[in-house]
Amino acid sequence: AQTVTQSQPEMSVQEAETVTLSCTYDTSESDYYLFWYKQPPSRQMILVIRQEAYKQQNATENRFSVNFQKAAKSFSLKISDSQLGDAAMYFCAYRRGGGSYIPTFGRGTSLIVHP
Amino acid sequence: DAGVTQSPTHLIKTRGQHVTLRCSPISGHKSVSWYQQVLGQGPQFIFQYYEKEERGRGNFPDRFSARQFPNYSSELNVNALLLGDSALYLCASSLEGQGSRKLFFGSGTQLSVL
């Protein structure tokens, strides 16, 4: 079974600085997708960034970027120029490709942004 | 356009009762999935429906059931509630049932079982 591990229960960062959230996963599949979701106090999960395993290039979305290390099964999220609105729970998620739909989420990392 | 809507937002039940949670997907989305998020953990997949057919089921007991209606809205039913069923129940919709498709989540239903 696939597992997703987020080893940092909580991280903090100063406004305007950079923070990296860690995620590792375990799978024997070669076709899969990785995601980072943000869950603010409103409880609504919001997709931050997505990475296809077959793509070597790391995904980037404005201030958010990932460091995808396929061999090491590592998928970290870097948030640059942190803003107060970035404060939330962040979940790393894995989904097998080939038509499978069942996602696996990590336990989450709580990000605190200090003004 | 409205996002994914879930009702009710909060619910309190007692052990042994049953509950029905409702989800309306984004207009045009044909796939709906359900997740259970226990406090302090990530969401756990319960069901996925696409075009009114079940496409995936997570590791949950038969007390959990769901269905999707012709308008693509969905219901999650839980029978014989246990204290451990207390959680945030999230619904997500997507255009198609493929795993690569972007999921749009609702704000969830907070279920408390006393």
Side-chain angles (χ1 to χ4, degrees):
Chain A
Q2 292 82 16
T3 58
V4 176
T5 302
Q6 293 180 251
S7 59
Q8 305 154 317
E10 185 178 288
M11 291 285 286
S12 63
V13 64
Q14 289 292 132
E15 199 176 2
E17 293 190 346
T18 297
V19 64
T20 299
L21 309 184
S22 301
C23 173
T24 59
Y25 59 96
D26 184 25
T27 184
S28 58
E29 304 288 336
S30 58
D31 179 21
Y32 55 87
Y33 303 87
L34 296 165
F35 308 83
W36 278 99
Y37 283 91
K38 172 185 177 182
Q39 188 177 41
S42 68
R43 309 182 314 195
Q44 186 180 30
M45 300 276 283
I46 302 165
L47 178 65
V48 174
I49 201 164
R50 179 180 74 180
Q51 176 79 44
E52 291 87 346
Y54 64 84
K55 290 187 177 179
Q56 291 186 336
Q57 188 171 6
N58 290 323
T60 299
E61 289 286 345
N62 300 315
R63 298 182 295 106
F64 299 88
S65 61
V66 298
N67 183 4
F68 174 46
Q69 301 289 327
K70 191 171 184 179
K73 297 179 182 176
S74 170
F75 183 61
S76 60
L77 174 70
K78 185 171 82 171
I79 305 174
S80 304
D81 186 25
S82 296
Q83 301 175 359
L84 294 178
D86 294 334
M89 284 293 294
Y90 286 82
F91 293 95
C92 178
Y94 163 99
R95 186 181 302 153
R96 184 167 58 92
S100 171
Y101 194 88
I102 300 176
T104 301
F105 287 83
R107 295 176 66 97
T109 295
S110 176
L111 179 65
I112 300 167
V113 181
H114 298 287
Chain B
D1 281 343
V4 177
T5 56
Q6 293 186 243
S7 62
T9 55
H10 295 84
L11 202 51
I12 300 175
K13 292 286 188 177
T14 56
R15 282 179 297 174
Q17 287 188 313
H18 71 272
V19 67
T20 298
L21 311 181
R22 296 177 174 82
C23 173
S24 293
I26 291 172
S27 178
H29 285 194
K30 298 180 179 179
S31 176
V32 170
S33 53
W34 288 94
Y35 304 82
Q36 180 195 65
Q37 186 177 15
V38 173
L39 188 64
Q41 297 186 19
Q44 261 198 299
F45 173 81
I46 310 176
F47 286 110
Q48 189 231 345
Y49 278 78
Y50 176 65
E51 286 282 16
K52 293 155 285 188
E53 289 188 1
E54 183 183 301
R55 288 295 186 92
R57 173 185 285 254
N59 188 23
F60 280 81
D62 292 343
R63 300 185 295 107
F64 288 76
S65 63
R67 54 180 176 169
Q68 187 177 32
F69 298 99
N71 66 354
Y72 302 108
S73 67
S74 178
E75 283 182 354
L76 175 69
N77 294 284
V78 186
N79 293 325
L81 284 166
L82 303 174
L83 295 179
D85 295 331
S86 295
L88 177 67
Y89 289 84
L90 294 166
C91 171
S93 74
S94 63
L95 274 171
E96 298 177 19
Q98 296 172 10
S100 62
R101 294 299 179 185
K102 180 177 178 179
L103 295 176
F104 294 82
F105 283 83
S107 295
T109 294
Q110 185 67 54
L111 172 65
S112 298
V113 182
L114 305 179

